Amino acid sequence: MQDTLAGLSFVLPAVVVLFTFLILPLLVAFYFSFTDWSGTRPLDQPDAYEMVGFENYQRWIIDGRRVDDFYRSVRNTLYYVAGVVPIQTALALVLAVIVNQRWLKGKAFFRTAFYFPSITSSIVVSFIFLFLFSGGGPINLLLKAVFPSFEPVSWTTNNDGLVHLLLNVFGVNGRTVGPWAETEILGLEIWEWISGPSVAMFTIMCLAIWTTTGTLMVIYLSALQNIPSSVYEAAEVDGATGLQAFRHITLPLLRPTTFFVVTLGLIGTFQVFDQIYVLQNDQTARTTTSVAYLVYATAFEGTSPSLAEASAIAIVLFIIIFVATLIQRRFVGGDQAET
Amino acid sequence: MTTATLAPQRTESGTIRTLRTILTVVALAFLVLFAAVQIVPFVLTVANSFKCDAAVENRPLAFIPRLATVTCRDAEGEFISPDEQVDGVLFTPSIDGYRGILNDQLPRWALNTAGLSLVVTLVRLVLDSMAGYALARLSFPGNRLVFFVILGVLMIPGVVLLIPRFLMLKEMGLLNTYQGYIITLAADAFGILLMKQFFESIPKEIEEAAQVDGANRFTIFFRIVLPMATPALTALTIFSFQGNWNNFMDALIILGGNTDMYNLPLGLTVLRGAGQDIQYDLVLAGSVVTTIPMAIIFFFFQRYFVEGISYSGLKG
């Protein structure tokens, strides 16, 4: 019974901290999402706020006057997630398989080089990319050197959607696409929904892939190194080619790792904030605001900031991330996932 | 450690061998290209942090420094032209950017960052290891429940907590205080689970022997168990220190109202300047200064980064 006392006193400080700053805030956000509190009136006054039911959700998510802002941020986030997660996962896997080859010298060098970006601050990486992709910056100069006909692009201020740009090559644009594209769904015209990520958002996606791929590669690499070579020897005896062995042995054995890597990717990308904070500017707010950034902007920026409305968006984001994780559990199969 | 390569088959024809060689060359080229993509931006960043603002914007590719130095303003106080500083891939370094950030609040921000990271890490080492030990070894009512709650806490996305943390700290009078930052991050679910897992992996016998000798749980934990946990504590130290050194979002919310309290990531966004006119010399110098301490720690403790990496993305 000494254990009971010791156990409780050992665990209590950490539990109090986690409860106060991780669980309680969730409940607080939930509560205030049903109020009209802007954040300015002191809470100890009796008339600081009123309960307004679903009004905030109505205004932002259902059919109120801010739904277009919300769903635009949903669109931006979805393009970001859908672009970053598959590419970084596939790149990480391919790189890990190459680094794991027996003939490769200098494994440690490649591991270090690939991992290094992830120890730097997201803000530092954002500034590096702001510099790389600036008007007279290295990316434009390199592209100009390789393709002499290339016209420098203003990467970080360009709102053109990649899909729109591609369609424009075939002569399809907002005027010629036809009336069907003007149909409004959830506050946005279909034409706006299918824009693809803007050039500015594409820059931020490159940043994310550049930073994260190395980390994921190291995770894949350690998983690959845990596959006993006897498995491959057996396959070889049975006459399997290298590609067959990869498809039927390596990939299935890496399934738990892939689940883990995709989960990390989803949770991280759905919350993208720091990079947007640095790389966004007034011109590109429309195409680069993520849902996470919208939460911040609603609470602290603009002419009428509102903590209550921001809380409502935060709660919806929480549900989105939760559902996304459930869906991918279905697809990638997390029942055997390692932790 | 086994290597899962695809061994060459003994009976392979000439075409297969040629194909294999081509594949190897392509793979190697891809690897080297990707490594260059990862490294070159850092090289350019360091080189350009030693250039004047105009040269960063107009001659960013020069990366080989000469042995001389220049100042960005001439005797009359006019900015020198980029061509005076850069010639092809060669450039004459200037330390004006570094001088600029040193005269600014950067030293203060660096101290804040170091202090906050250190204190949060120390507190976490104590709270996380105590909780981890209790979950691993001590049977108390609610042990399983606490464990599952901590697992669940890992799933809470940080951005959802932004607003409510802000208003809770405001109500507690802890907004824009170091204490507010420290107490908010004083324990983390990842650290607790890491320590729990470690304590479960060490043999019980030593603790049992000490118990027979009449030592109580507190003595056993602090005198016997904790000294054995050095590897796990090192991993936790590095992850917590790195996470806090680079922590932008929590600093923005908790310390954002007082520039004297900023940490380096938050300070960098101030160095940037307003609008589109970015002060590249200051920003890049600040980026280098922010990164160097972490780079040093990384090169000395690389093993721990790589070992603990599977948890990295889970930290809150």
Side-chain angles (χ1 to χ4, degrees), chain A residues 35-90:
Chain A
T35 73
D36 67 352
W37 192 53
S38 67
T40 44
R41 269 166 296 170
L43 276 179
D44 46 17
Q45 286 175 14
D47 58 346
Y49 62 84
E50 274 174 41
M51 303 304 288
V52 294
F54 282 93
E55 206 172 274
N56 297 321
Y57 292 93
Q58 177 81 17
R59 182 172 306 139
W60 284 88
I61 321 294
I62 301 166
D63 56 6
R65 60 191 164 78
R66 302 307 296 272
V67 280
D68 54 333
D69 287 327
F70 174 74
Y71 286 105
R72 205 170 277 129
S73 78
V74 169
R75 175 199 63 181
N76 299 342
T77 310
L78 286 179
Y79 279 125
Y80 179 85
V81 174
V84 172
V85 175
I87 294 178
Q88 71 183 14
T89 307

Side-chain angles (χ1 to χ4, degrees), chain A residues 47-196:
Chain A
D47 58 346
Y49 62 84
E50 274 174 41
M51 303 304 288
V52 294
F54 282 93
E55 206 172 274
N56 297 321
Y57 292 93
Q58 177 81 17
R59 182 172 306 139
W60 284 88
I61 321 294
I62 301 166
D63 56 6
R65 60 191 164 78
R66 302 307 296 272
V67 280
D68 54 333
D69 287 327
F70 174 74
Y71 286 105
R72 205 170 277 129
S73 78
V74 169
R75 175 199 63 181
N76 299 342
T77 310
L78 286 179
Y79 279 125
Y80 179 85
V81 174
V84 172
V85 175
I87 294 178
Q88 71 183 14
T89 307
L91 258 180
L93 176 61
V94 170
L95 289 167
V97 168
I98 301 175
V99 172
N100 196 41
Q101 296 299 308
R102 239 179 255 151
W103 47 262
L104 187 79
K105 302 272 188 292
K107 289 187 169 52
F109 164 78
F110 286 109
R111 207 167 47 188
T112 306
F114 293 169
Y115 190 59
F116 191 75
S118 66
I119 67 153
T120 39
S121 150
S122 53
I123 300 300
V124 168
V125 173
S126 302
F127 280 124
I128 293 179
F129 268 67
L130 207 52
F131 154 65
L132 290 176
F133 282 87
S134 62
I139 298 290
N140 273 339
L141 291 179
L142 281 177
L143 284 170
K144 182 87 188 162
V146 179
F147 309 101
S149 63
F150 175 80
E151 289 295 319
V153 174
S154 175
W155 298 95
T156 53
T157 56
N158 192 326
N159 270 323
D160 293 340
L162 293 186
V163 173
H164 281 177
L165 289 174
L166 185 72
L167 288 176
N168 200 34
V169 173
F170 300 104
V172 181
N173 57 39
R175 283 182 306 279
T176 61
V177 64
W180 62 272
E182 284 166 31
T183 313
E184 214 172 86
I185 299 174
L186 297 171
L188 295 191
E189 292 180 0
I190 291 179
W191 180 245
E192 261 197 273
W193 275 109
I194 62 161
S195 66

Side-chain angles (χ1 to χ4, degrees), chain B residues 6-284:
Chain B
L6 312 176
Q9 282 161 319
R10 260 162 248 108
T11 55
E12 57 182 24
S13 68
T15 13
I16 297 229
R17 215 174 302 138
T18 321
L19 209 68
R20 192 180 293 282
T21 314
I22 294 174
L23 206 66
T24 308
V25 171
V26 170
L28 198 61
F30 183 67
L31 195 65
V32 171
L33 180 76
F34 198 80
V37 168
Q38 300 289 83
I39 295 167
V40 170
F42 285 109
V43 175
L44 285 177
T45 300
V46 174
N48 281 280
S49 74
F50 287 99
K51 285 182 200 162
C52 305
D53 198 36
V56 179
E57 280 174 57
N58 298 304
R59 306 277 185 277
L61 292 183
F63 67 101
I64 302 174
R66 295 197 187 91
L67 277 173
T69 54
V70 288
T71 50
C72 294
R73 288 169 189 270
D74 60 21
E76 279 92 53
E78 296 290 313
F79 283 110
I80 60 168
S81 93
D83 292 321
E84 273 181 65
Q85 195 182 13
V86 180
D87 180 20
V89 293
L90 293 173
F91 73 98
T92 316
S94 151
I95 54 164
D96 284 16
Y98 287 91
R99 207 177 278 151
I101 56 171
L102 281 181
N103 293 335
D104 206 322
Q105 284 170 293
L106 192 109
R108 170 84 196 228
W109 297 334
L111 273 180
N112 287 344
T113 315
L116 288 172
S117 307
L118 218 63
V119 175
V120 168
T121 302
L122 282 177
V123 177
R124 274 189 184 179
L125 285 176
V126 177
L127 296 196
D128 288 357
S129 60
M130 280 171 62
Y133 184 71
L135 291 176
R137 281 288 202 269
L138 306 175
S139 58
F140 58 93
N143 184 320
R144 297 289 289 167
L145 177 71
V146 171
F147 172 66
F148 281 118
V149 167
I150 290 174
L151 264 186
V153 158
L154 274 181
M155 293 285 291
I156 301 176
V159 291
V160 177
L161 307 174
L162 277 183
I163 310 304
R165 274 181 177 173
F166 172 83
L167 75 91
M168 284 169 64
L169 288 168
K170 193 174 167 190
E171 287 304 303
M172 294 184 213
L174 290 172
L175 210 58
N176 299 314
T177 66
Y178 296 132
Q179 303 91 294
Y181 180 92
I182 293 164
I183 195 173
T184 304
L185 302 165
D188 70 313
F190 151 72
I192 296 172
L193 295 175
L194 178 81
M195 293 313 294
K196 170 181 183 286
Q197 205 169 35
F198 177 82
F199 290 130
E200 279 169 348
S201 74
I202 58 175
K204 269 187 187 151
E205 284 73 23
I206 308 168
E207 292 156 67
E208 282 165 359
Q211 224 165 359
V212 173
D213 290 345
N216 68 32
R217 278 292 180 187
F218 291 87
T219 320
I220 294 174
F221 176 70
F222 284 105
R223 292 279 169 77
I224 301 171
V225 176
L226 217 48
M228 288 196 294
T230 320
L233 293 175
T234 312
L236 185 55
T237 303
I238 285 173
F239 271 96
S240 169
F241 195 81
Q242 182 198 358
N244 281 288
W245 188 273
N246 294 335
N247 193 343
F248 173 70
M249 208 156 67
D250 292 312
L252 174 70
I253 291 302
I254 302 171
L255 306 171
N258 183 352
T259 45
D260 279 343
M261 301 228 158
Y262 280 15
N263 67 358
L264 285 168
L266 196 49
L268 284 180
T269 62
V270 176
L271 287 183
R272 173 199 177 157
Q276 281 301 92
D277 186 25
I278 298 155
Q279 295 259 305
Y280 279 109
D281 50 348
L282 299 184
V283 160
L284 294 183

